């Protein structure tokens, strides 16, 4: 049912934790399953230098958080904003249809964290 990549990122998730004084924090949830994902960003000159996540959710939500945080690390804010749930699913070699919404949560959490960063920067 799950690809090796999903199993790998689920059993050894990368970038777990939180960042104190993060430059951007995004928290999103899915009302149906009740899962919650929170992403913390450290950003220097518009480049994401560090990223951590905390996910209270299913295995696919943990795997998508893990790979999405890996995908945006070292990227510019502009590049990270282009991340789509489709790209996250592809990077995991696919997800079962009923788990696609978990990858949407990852895309939304990244975008919410960047929006928070941009709001703070504009102040
Ligand atoms: Fe809802 Fe995975 S079941 S995020």
């Amino acid at each position: 049912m799950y690809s090796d990549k999903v199993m790998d990122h689920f059993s050894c998730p990368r970038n777990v934790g939180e960042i104190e004084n993060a430059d951007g924090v995004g928290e999103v949830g899915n009302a149906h399953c009740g899962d919650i994902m929170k992403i913390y960003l450290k950003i220097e000159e518009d480049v994401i230098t560090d990223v951590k996540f905390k996910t209270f959710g299913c295995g696919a939500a943990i795997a998508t958080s893990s790979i999405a945080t890996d995908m945006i690390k070292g990227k510019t804010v502009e590049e990270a904003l282009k991340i789509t749930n489709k790209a996250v699913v592809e990077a995991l070699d696919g997800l079962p249809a009923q788990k696609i919404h978990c990858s949407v949560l990852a895309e939304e959490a990244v975008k919410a964290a960047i929006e928070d960063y941009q709001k703070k920067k504009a102040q």
Side-chain angles (χ1 to χ4, degrees):
M1 183 177 173
Y2 289 111
S3 71
D4 289 346
K5 274 220 184 132
V6 174
M7 292 315 290
D8 175 33
H9 279 271
F10 167 61
S11 38
C12 301
R14 316 338 180 230
N15 313 310
V16 175
E18 48 185 285
I19 297 175
E20 255 183 68
N21 303 318
D23 298 305
V25 181
E27 183 175 327
V28 294
N30 181 294
H32 293 287
C33 62
D35 291 355
I36 297 171
M37 200 179 280
K38 195 165 181 179
I39 287 188
Y40 302 79
L41 302 173
K42 198 80 209 159
I43 299 175
E44 278 164 39
E45 293 179 9
D46 271 359
V47 173
I48 298 169
T49 54
D50 199 11
V51 46
K52 296 264 187 266
F53 79 88
K54 271 190 166 175
T55 291
F56 302 92
C58 72
I62 290 167
T64 53
S65 320
S66 170
I67 202 145
T69 50
D70 253 2
M71 286 163 80
I72 63 167
K73 206 187 243 181
K75 295 265 161 57
T76 64
V77 166
E78 208 176 307
E79 286 165 339
L81 273 176
K82 290 190 191 134
I83 195 170
T84 61
N85 81 295
K86 199 166 167 265
V88 171
V89 172
E90 275 168 15
L92 285 171
D93 293 337
L95 273 178
Q98 71 271 29
K99 289 289 175 184
I100 294 295
H101 80 270
C102 317
S103 65
V104 174
L105 218 51
E107 176 188 331
E108 287 176 353
V110 167
K111 289 186 175 158
I114 293 175
E115 265 168 37
D116 182 50
Y117 160 72
Q118 287 172 332
K119 248 189 247 158
K120 281 182 183 151
K121 210 176 120 183
Q123 276 166 11

